[in-house]
Amino acid sequence: MTPDAERPTPVVVQKYGGTSVATGERILAIADRIEQNLPHTPRLVVVLSAMGSTTDELVSLANQVSNRPIGREMDLLLSTGEQVTVSLLGLALQNRDIAAVSLTALQCGIRTDGVFNLARIRSIDTARICAELTAGRVVIVTGFQGINDSNDVTTLGRGGSDITGAALAAALGAEACEICTDVDGVFSADPTRVPGARLWPEISYEEATEMASSGAQVLHPRAAEICREYGVLIHVRSSFHLREGTWIRESGSIMERAEVVSVTSDSKIAKITLLDVADKPGLAARVFEDLARAGINIRLIIQSASSEHQGRITFIPELEFLDGVRVLVRRWEAEGLASRGVIESDVAKISIVGSRLASTPGLAARMFAALAREGINIDCISSSEMKVACVIAGDRLDAATRAVHREFFPEDEAAAASA
Ligand code: ADP
Ligand code: ASP
Ligand code: MG
């Protein structure tokens, strides 16, 4: 036998997001797509999100009945959305005489730590999935959920189905993890906000992680991290056609990379400023330990130099954690850690991301100048090796994104305008 013939057929993992499974018709379209491709993907694992805005609706139902909808019960509730979609797709495939089985996290051994609402996958026991694949079935898995050591359902955080897809692809030794979504791939800006955004055929894991953590929703940052660690390619592509999208891989290309890969906008943030924090060791540690203990994700931290032994600490949490932040801010005020905590939710963040940012002088200045020409005030700035981020007024985000994108991608913008 030749080595090729000995090699088992690789597993393909495809993850479909909420918009792609939003209605019965769309689920049928996914079933069509799977059926057409089955000769090329005989060992297929499909990971699904909940239908459309189901998870948001479950969150708002929980808010109707509780002031603190968190923890075990919340995860049991949120995980139901994905169970609906996997069973519907299983029924749709079986209705076409395609052998298929839908599995929850418990049934296919996705083990996580015990952190409800933001769990991390620890291990996946692939025995059941492998047995189903060997029996010739398409395996359909609930995204976003896992189980802890007590077999309680946990969830991986919003957008977490991407993480399930990546972790399964890594555990099953898949060649690639396909992230099938409602846009054609990864663009130089959110294509729903910026019509002239450029579709990238390829970006690096690092760029993808940085883009995703600066707010580009198209991929969860932890999915990019997992695939990088296990050497799994990611293919972000449309659910609605079979054209290639964006490949995410190690940056092996000898070609010069683009100066800026993405202009990322993020409206789902808040800004907290703690005023008159004493200038002594341990206070910043205390603030961020409290936030970490409460499971609150922070996107940016800005501490300005102190004057007269008093400083201020500004941080940018994700908007969904604002209630938890409010509780802590009131506590810090009561304890005198800060004279006041100012909470602003009408803010947004715009970032430029690229692996050449640190080595190319002047990119930050070009970003600030583009904002200035638009008359947009920059509230705070933060920068790192691969990113420059500015906090601005929430209602200027669209104008800011277009202006900064125009600065770095003038030809694409011109082509879109003349089309
Ligand atoms: P899914 O439900 O498939 O997981 P998401 O809504 O989580 O999809 O992510 C896809 C969305 O990400 C797109 O509809 C688009 O609006 C947004 N997006 C933001 N930034 C980008 C980008 N740079 N490239 C592509 N899509 C982006
Ligand atoms: N349904 C979950 C959410 O809306 C997970 C996902 O779609 O990735 O966040
Ligand atoms: Mg998503």
Side-chain angles (χ1 to χ4, degrees):
M1 261 203 286
T2 64
D4 259 5
E6 277 170 21
R7 202 177 299 153
T9 318
V11 175
V12 172
V13 174
Q14 285 176 351
K15 175 261 167 178
Y16 291 92
T19 318
S20 314
V21 291
T23 59
E25 263 172 23
R26 293 229 170 125
I27 289 178
L28 286 176
I30 302 295
D32 282 343
R33 184 185 161 107
I34 291 172
E35 186 172 16
Q36 281 161 22
N37 264 309
L38 215 48
H40 310 291
T41 54
R43 285 160 68 76
L44 177 64
V45 175
V46 178
V47 175
L48 297 184
S49 292
M51 293 169 91
S53 53
T54 299
T55 312
D56 290 334
E57 285 154 23
L58 292 171
V59 171
S60 73
L61 265 177
N63 278 311
Q64 279 178 37
V65 299
S66 164
N67 292 331
R68 275 173 51 82
I70 52 169
R72 182 185 177 281
E73 272 49 51
M74 191 60 179
D75 275 0
L76 193 58
L77 172 71
L78 295 187
S79 67
T80 58
E82 274 67 15
Q83 257 162 257
V84 172
T85 41
V86 293
S87 39
L88 284 173
L89 183 63
L91 288 169
L93 290 175
Q94 288 167 2
N95 195 43
R96 291 152 197 240
D97 294 327
I98 297 171
V101 59
S102 52
L103 299 174
T104 62
L106 177 64
Q107 290 166 327
C108 67
I110 303 180
R111 296 259 160 210
T112 69
D113 60 19
V115 182
F116 292 111
N117 313 145
L118 208 58
R120 283 188 169 251
I121 297 178
R122 278 193 182 146
S123 66
I124 301 181
D125 174 1
T126 54
R128 172 79 189 265
I129 295 180
C130 290
E132 299 290 356
L133 290 172
T134 305
R137 297 193 184 97
V138 174
V139 177
I140 311 160
V141 178
T142 47
F144 181 51
Q145 60 174 257
I147 45 164
N148 67 12
D149 288 343
S150 323
N151 286 351
D152 284 332
V153 179
T154 53
T155 63
L156 308 179
R158 299 305 306 269
S161 299
D162 293 343
I163 306 172
T164 311
L168 280 172
L172 293 164
E175 276 184 354
C177 172
E178 296 188 20
I179 300 289
C180 304
T181 184
D182 56 358
V183 290
D184 286 355
V186 179
F187 288 77
S188 54
D190 184 340
T192 63
R193 284 179 195 265
V194 181
R198 183 191 299 183
L199 175 64
W200 296 110
E202 178 186 320
I203 59 170
S204 69
Y205 291 117
E206 274 179 307
E207 287 164 340
T209 306
E210 201 67 44
M211 274 176 79
S213 49
S214 67
Q217 218 188 327
V218 66
L219 182 70
H220 197 291
R222 271 159 60 202
E225 279 168 14
I226 292 170
C227 287
R228 180 182 193 189
E229 198 174 324
Y230 289 87
V232 178
L233 300 179
I234 305 176
H235 187 187
V236 180
R237 63 191 310 187
S238 170
S239 298
F240 308 130
H241 59 69
L242 290 172
R243 288 194 296 281
E244 296 238 328
T246 304
W247 286 93
I248 303 177
R249 56 176 62 158
E250 214 57 74
S251 53
S253 160
I254 53 160
M255 298 291 288
E256 278 279 7
R257 305 197 72 78
E259 289 173 333
V260 169
V261 171
S262 156
V263 179
T264 304
S265 35
D266 189 358
S267 54
K268 294 185 186 149
I269 58 159
K271 179 182 156 208
I272 318 297
T273 309
L274 300 178
L275 301 174
D276 303 320
V277 180
D279 185 18
K280 57 181 193 202
L283 288 187
R286 162 77 203 287
V287 167
F288 292 101
E289 275 164 12
D290 285 353
L291 289 163
R293 221 170 286 124
I296 292 166
N297 259 2
I298 301 297
R299 289 267 173 88
L300 268 189
I301 299 172
I302 303 153
Q303 182 174 15
S304 48
S306 49
S307 58
E308 316 257 324
H309 308 295
Q310 298 291 320
R312 57 171 58 185
I313 298 178
T314 302
F315 60 90
I316 309 288
E318 293 174 19
L319 197 56
E320 64 169 299
F321 298 106
L322 191 55
D323 288 342
V325 173
R326 272 207 184 95
V327 172
L328 288 176
V329 167
R330 298 289 92 93
R331 195 201 297 163
W332 295 327
E333 285 173 346
E335 292 172 359
L337 185 145
S339 67
R340 202 155 70 87
V342 182
I343 300 176
E344 293 165 77
S345 52
D346 52 352
V347 294
K349 182 161 63 68
I350 175 169
S351 317
I352 53 171
V353 172
S355 49
R356 288 177 54 201
L357 241 61
S359 60
T360 316
L363 297 180
R366 280 171 63 192
M367 176 189 192
F368 304 153
L371 292 172
R373 281 195 297 277
E374 210 60 34
I376 295 171
N377 190 45
I378 301 173
D379 193 2
C380 18
I381 298 172
S382 150
S383 76
S384 63
E385 283 273 297
M386 285 184 62
K387 179 166 72 186
V388 180
C390 299
V391 176
I392 58 171
D395 60 356
R396 302 305 312 276
L397 185 60
D398 277 343
T401 311
R402 282 195 295 269
V404 175
H405 191 266
R406 211 162 37 240
E407 170 65 30
F408 291 104
F409 297 90
E411 317 86 38
D412 303 77
E413 292 276 348
S418 63

